């Protein structure tokens, strides 16, 4: 068992939630994660976000579609890739989220114990 939760598992958790909320395409999800975790000094690496998306596609959780970024095909030539759940992808995602939740709970327990043991925060 790993010491703390793996970075890619953490990223996948957020990508799944963003797809559940219909929040954008890969780059938008990366930027949203950067903003969410800026206060904690964490910047998810772009390469890890795209590897996680690729794995979720390979695992049959997501499928991709492409569309033009803007609304005018005569002017807007940039193509973006959108991610959606496969037919059984939402169920696979829910199972994955349950597994990650157990790992998060274990990590939080370890972190709280370390804080209490080393900084006397018990009872705060």
């Amino acid at each position: 068992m790993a010491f703390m939760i793996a970075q890619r598992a953490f990223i996948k958790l957020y990508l799944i939630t963003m797809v559940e909320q219909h929040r954008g395409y890969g780059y938008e999800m990366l930027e949203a994660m950067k903003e969410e975790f800026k206060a904690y000094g964490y910047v998810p690496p772009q390469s890890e976000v795209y590897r996680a998306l690729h794995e979720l596609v390979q695992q049959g959780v997501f499928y991709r579609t492409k569309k033009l970024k803007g609304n005018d095909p005569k002017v807007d030539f940039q193509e973006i890739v959108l991610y959606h759940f496969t037919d059984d992808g939402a169920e696979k995602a829910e199972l994955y989220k349950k597994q990650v939740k157990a790992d998060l709970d274990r990590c939080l327990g370890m972190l709280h114990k370390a804080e209490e043991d080393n900084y006397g925060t018990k009872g705060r």
Side-chain angles (χ1 to χ4, degrees), residues 83-116:
Y83 293 87
H84 316 272
F85 286 114
T86 60
D87 288 341
D88 63 345
E91 293 154 27
K92 289 179 180 180
E94 194 58 38
L95 177 61
Y96 184 78
K97 285 175 76 169
K98 285 180 183 177
Q99 293 168 343
V100 172
K101 174 73 168 106
D103 207 17
L104 282 173
D105 288 343
R106 180 186 61 80
C107 293
L108 285 170
M110 288 174 60
L111 290 169
H112 289 303
K113 178 173 178 28
E115 186 179 38
E116 289 172 9

Side-chain angles (χ1 to χ4, degrees), residues 26 35 42 44 61 86 96:
E35 189 60 34
Y42 174 65
V61 177
T86 60
Y96 184 78

Side-chain angles (χ1 to χ4, degrees), residues 5-68:
I5 186 169
Q7 177 177 240
R8 192 157 316 148
F10 183 82
I11 290 171
K12 283 181 179 180
L13 176 66
Y14 273 86
L15 293 173
I16 288 169
T17 298
M18 287 185 217
V19 169
E20 287 172 343
Q21 298 168 346
H22 307 287
R23 289 181 51 199
Y25 52 95
Y27 183 75
E28 280 185 330
M29 290 188 272
L30 169 66
E31 291 301 311
M33 286 180 67
K34 284 181 181 178
E35 189 60 34
E36 287 284 324
F37 295 104
K38 185 187 330 184
Y40 303 100
Y42 174 65
V43 178
Q46 181 174 343
S47 61
E48 283 299 309
V49 170
Y50 284 103
R51 280 186 191 113
L53 284 167
H54 183 72
E55 282 182 11
L56 288 165
V57 169
Q58 283 183 320
Q59 294 164 347
V61 177
F62 293 163
Y63 72 93
R64 296 182 265 231
T65 60
K66 293 182 179 182
K67 75 170 222 165
L68 294 177

